[in-house]
Amino acid sequence: MTLLVTGSIGIDTIRTPFGFSQDCVGGSAVYFSLAASFFGPVGFVGVVGEDCPFDLKEVFGNRDVDLQGLEVRPGSRTFRWAGSYEGDMNEASTDGVELNVLAEAPPTVPEAFRDSEFVFLANTAPALQMQLLDQLRGPELVAADTMNHWIVTAMDDLKELIDRIDMLVLNDGEAKLLTGQRNLVTAARSILDMGPRIVIIKKGEHGSMMCNKDGDLFILPAFPTSVVIDPTGAGDSFAGAMMGHLARSRKVDVVSLREAMAYGTVVASFTIGDFSIHGLKTVDMSDIDGRFDMLRKVTQF
Amino acid sequence: MTLLVTGSIGIDTIRTPFGFSQDCVGGSAVYFSLAASFFGPVGFVGVVGEDCPFDLKEVFGNRDVDLQGLEVRPGSRTFRWAGSYEGDMNEASTDGVELNVLAEAPPTVPEAFRDSEFVFLANTAPALQMQLLDQLRGPELVAADTMNHWIVTAMDDLKELIDRIDMLVLNDGEAKLLTGQRNLVTAARSILDMGPRIVIIKKGEHGSMMCNKDGDLFILPAFPTSVVIDPTGAGDSFAGAMMGHLARSRKVDVVSLREAMAYGTVVASFTIGDFSIHGLKTVDMSDIDGRFDMLRKVTQF
């Protein structure tokens, strides 16, 4: 397996100015895998409880997502998240969280996945992210996401994790909180000092930014869309398409990284165009390449 | 005269996390002219009271800014603005405003300026912007700025003005307020429906966006700088450099417009690097071209 993701599978309930979606498919690993599977095969590691109302085999359909690493844990309940968006919908308000199975031991990485070259540790407790990482043998690129909650409650673990990975992916507010810096360029450089060779900061409707230890800097606006129905999963879709492109091109040089971020931006623009995973289910690679070309066209001078 | 600006001259008092500057040089026409004068000559139209503590001839020094249109009005007092910035400094809080001479009749456009081809009507009451426009003979490109205050208090006048100009330049919050749209792409298209053939939306630290009636769309991040001391005048500097480049290239096609916005972005990045106009006083065209090349480098993929 070239690309591996570990992360959450969730039952989401989402309210936006455009509607309400109850108990729909969600979770970081699900959005990530759908997005990444446009570019190549994905190994999926995640855990649900015995109450999970949807079948991930059906969710992924004919996508090349290997569910060997999916654990259905008897006696446990699936992670649930309820959130809502208002105004410019750039940030979700969490209305309710039930960690459930995510508060238990992490799933096991199947033997067949342990030599994965590209790995994405989606957001969860940094101690669990490290337990997952411990199961792998010499991956080429390990990227991880995190969130405010862990910065506030598990900073020591998080710093240990950050020092062990190649790339940290986080949003602008998290980057500022993690570093105590108000300026994003300064925050990005502070994160590089913490260990990783690449940091990618997601800015929602304002796009994304990449800094690396070789001094390269890349700034990309979001794809200009007027169709924003449900931003849930945009960040995970961004990461999925980005890692998918890197795994496909089998390199992490500056050109590949920039293209990867552009693909991430484009795929996220489809995610936010409909509720839950529907925006990702109805597009194909030619739609993605069309928006990729348009993104290049609207940003060049 | 190729490029004409009408706008305010102000006595500013500014507080930022980096310091305090009392009774310093400010005003939209001043920032605009300093920025535009890197690219070519500027005709300046503005009015101060007899109390103005600084001499604009000294402010502009050897820059090619023609002060024929500067009126010192006896018995009047100069416009004053006090503002402060906190946190990420993306928005000023106004601590005090004295309109003074700006609440009186606008200055007269000198005969020598009335055939100007490129015109920028910096922010003031839209009725005054129209009185200034009435004094001109067939300009090639008229751009105008506005602000929340006029959207709320003088919408009819503002709509009449917008229908008479070629390009509206405003910030993201203003674009949303003016159109009632929450999505910026939709807001930009709504503004085009109001008359102008080009709309440019400034997004502060998040860059800028251009839409035109030919369907072209351009999105540009802000220049990545970690030195943000005083954002006052950033928008007027952006407009000044942009109009300066358009007047220099004597065309308003898509290539020139995109380059113009990039120059605007770069010059604004120098403005915010120091208090008041100091950031603009200490750079030269080679500094600007250096950042222009870097902006291209960090945005291409």
Side-chain angles (χ1 to χ4, degrees):
Chain A
M1 185 56 57
T2 310
L3 176 60
L4 174 69
V5 61
T6 70
S8 65
I9 303 151
I11 306 171
D12 284 357
T13 294
I14 301 159
R15 191 184 298 275
T16 89
F18 299 94
F20 177 69
S21 184
Q22 187 156 17
D23 292 348
C24 57
V25 181
S28 58
V30 176
Y31 281 105
F32 182 99
S33 298
L34 278 168
S37 66
F38 288 110
F39 301 86
V42 185
F44 182 103
V45 173
V47 56
V48 291
E50 59 186 11
D51 62 337
C52 188
F54 46 79
D55 179 351
L56 280 179
K57 275 192 209 94
E58 281 172 25
V59 166
F60 292 120
N62 59 1
R63 301 292 182 88
D64 196 354
V65 178
D66 187 334
L67 291 173
Q68 272 188 70
L70 171 64
E71 179 190 345
V72 181
R73 192 169 293 173
S76 293
R77 288 171 55 79
T78 305
F79 169 59
R80 282 178 173 271
W81 179 76
S84 52
Y85 300 86
E86 286 177 17
D88 63 7
M89 302 206 290
N90 213 22
E91 201 158 0
S93 300
T94 292
D95 302 323
V97 177
E98 296 174 34
L99 284 179
N100 295 331
V101 72
L102 291 192
E104 304 170 12
T108 302
V109 178
E111 178 57 34
F113 290 177
R114 294 192 177 196
D115 292 311
S116 297
E117 293 161 85
F118 292 80
V119 176
F120 189 75
L121 307 170
N123 172 46
T124 188
L128 298 194
Q129 287 172 304
M130 284 190 280
Q131 285 178 39
L132 289 157
L133 186 52
D134 288 338
Q135 300 176 52
L136 305 176
R137 292 184 285 259
E140 188 179 320
L141 182 84
V142 178
D145 196 357
T146 192
M147 68 180 290
N148 285 354
H149 181 69
W150 311 117
I151 297 171
V152 173
T153 63
M155 188 62 142
D156 288 346
D157 284 350
L158 184 57
K159 282 190 170 165
E160 194 181 333
L161 172 77
I162 291 173
D163 193 33
R164 290 183 59 187
I165 62 176
D166 302 288
M167 179 196 287
L168 184 66
V169 181
L170 74 179
N171 74 32
D172 47 356
E174 292 157 359
K176 290 175 181 176
L177 184 66
L178 175 62
T179 60
Q181 299 289 345
R182 293 185 184 282
N183 179 282
L184 273 193
V185 178
T186 312
R189 288 184 188 136
S190 297
I191 291 169
L192 293 179
D193 289 339
M194 297 168 75
R197 59 190 165 101
I198 303 162
V199 57
I200 291 176
I201 299 180
K202 300 171 290 181
K203 301 188 287 175
E205 65 169 325
H206 300 300
S208 56
M209 182 178 119
M210 186 265 294
C211 267
N212 72 16
K213 279 199 169 162
D214 298 329
D216 195 52
L217 178 63
F218 179 52
I219 308 173
L220 184 67
F223 184 84
T225 177
S226 55
V227 184
V228 184
I229 302 299
D230 172 14
T232 308
D236 299 310
S237 305
F238 173 90
M242 181 179 73
M243 292 294 288
H245 176 73
L246 290 176
R248 176 176 71 168
S249 56
R250 305 187 77 88
K251 47 189 182 187
V252 196
D253 59 7
V254 166
V255 172
S256 306
L257 272 171
R258 289 180 174 214
E259 287 174 356
M261 286 173 67
Y263 276 116
T265 296
V266 160
V267 172
S269 78
F270 286 113
T271 300
I272 65 180
D274 204 344
F275 275 98
S276 180
I277 58 169
H278 297 299
L280 288 175
K281 292 285 281 181
T282 51
V283 294
D284 60 25
M285 200 60 206
S286 72
D287 299 317
I288 292 168
D289 281 327
R291 286 200 177 178
F292 181 91
D293 292 342
M294 189 180 158
L295 183 61
R296 178 174 272 152
K297 197 168 156 244
V298 302
T299 55
Q300 312 298 288
F301 65 93
Chain B
M1 186 54 60
T2 310
L3 175 59
L4 174 69
V5 60
T6 70
S8 65
I9 303 151
I11 306 170
D12 284 357
T13 294
I14 300 159
R15 191 184 298 276
T16 89
F18 299 94
F20 177 70
S21 184
Q22 187 156 18
D23 293 349
C24 58
V25 181
S28 58
V30 176
Y31 281 105
F32 181 100
S33 299
L34 277 169
S37 65
F38 289 110
F39 301 86
V42 186
F44 183 103
V45 173
V47 55
V48 289
E50 59 186 11
D51 61 336
C52 188
F54 46 79
D55 180 351
L56 280 180
K57 273 192 211 92
E58 283 172 24
V59 166
F60 291 119
N62 60 359
R63 302 290 183 88
D64 196 354
V65 179
D66 187 334
L67 291 172
Q68 272 188 69
L70 171 63
E71 179 189 345
V72 182
R73 193 169 292 173
S76 293
R77 287 171 55 80
T78 305
F79 168 60
R80 283 178 172 270
W81 179 76
S84 51
Y85 299 86
E86 287 178 15
D88 63 7
M89 302 205 290
N90 213 20
E91 201 157 0
S93 300
T94 293
D95 302 322
V97 177
E98 295 174 33
L99 283 179
N100 295 331
V101 72
L102 291 192
E104 304 171 11
T108 301
V109 178
E111 179 56 33
F113 289 177
R114 294 193 177 195
D115 292 311
S116 296
E117 294 161 85
F118 291 81
V119 176
F120 190 74
L121 307 170
N123 172 46
T124 188
L128 297 194
Q129 287 172 303
M130 283 189 281
Q131 285 178 40
L132 288 156
L133 186 52
D134 287 339
Q135 300 176 51
L136 306 176
R137 291 183 287 258
E140 190 179 318
L141 181 84
V142 178
D145 194 358
T146 191
M147 69 180 291
N148 285 354
H149 181 70
W150 311 117
I151 297 171
V152 173
T153 63
M155 188 61 141
D156 289 346
D157 284 351
L158 184 58
K159 282 190 170 167
E160 194 181 333
L161 171 77
I162 292 173
D163 193 33
R164 289 183 60 187
I165 62 176
D166 302 288
M167 180 197 285
L168 185 66
V169 181
L170 76 179
N171 74 32
D172 47 355
E174 293 157 358
K176 290 175 181 176
L177 184 66
L178 176 62
T179 60
Q181 299 289 344
R182 291 185 186 283
N183 179 281
L184 272 192
V185 178
T186 312
R189 288 184 187 135
S190 297
I191 291 169
L192 293 179
D193 290 339
M194 296 166 77
R197 59 189 165 101
I198 303 163
V199 57
I200 291 176
I201 299 179
K202 301 171 289 180
K203 301 187 288 174
E205 65 168 327
H206 300 300
S208 56
M209 182 179 117
M210 186 264 296
C211 267
N212 72 16
K213 279 199 170 162
D214 297 330
D216 194 53
L217 178 64
F218 179 52
I219 308 172
L220 184 67
F223 184 85
T225 177
S226 55
V227 185
V228 184
I229 302 299
D230 172 14
T232 309
D236 300 310
S237 304
F238 173 90
M242 181 179 72
M243 293 294 288
H245 176 73
L246 290 175
R248 176 175 71 168
S249 55
R250 305 187 77 88
K251 48 189 181 186
V252 195
D253 59 8
V254 166
V255 172
S256 306
L257 272 170
R258 290 180 173 213
E259 287 174 355
M261 286 173 66
Y263 276 116
T265 296
V266 159
V267 173
S269 78
F270 287 113
T271 300
I272 66 180
D274 204 344
F275 275 98
S276 180
I277 58 170
H278 297 299
L280 287 174
K281 292 286 280 182
T282 50
V283 294
D284 60 24
M285 201 59 206
S286 73
D287 299 317
I288 293 169
D289 281 328
R291 286 201 177 178
F292 182 91
D293 291 342
M294 188 179 158
L295 183 61
R296 179 175 272 152
K297 197 169 155 244
V298 301
T299 55
Q300 311 298 286
F301 66 93

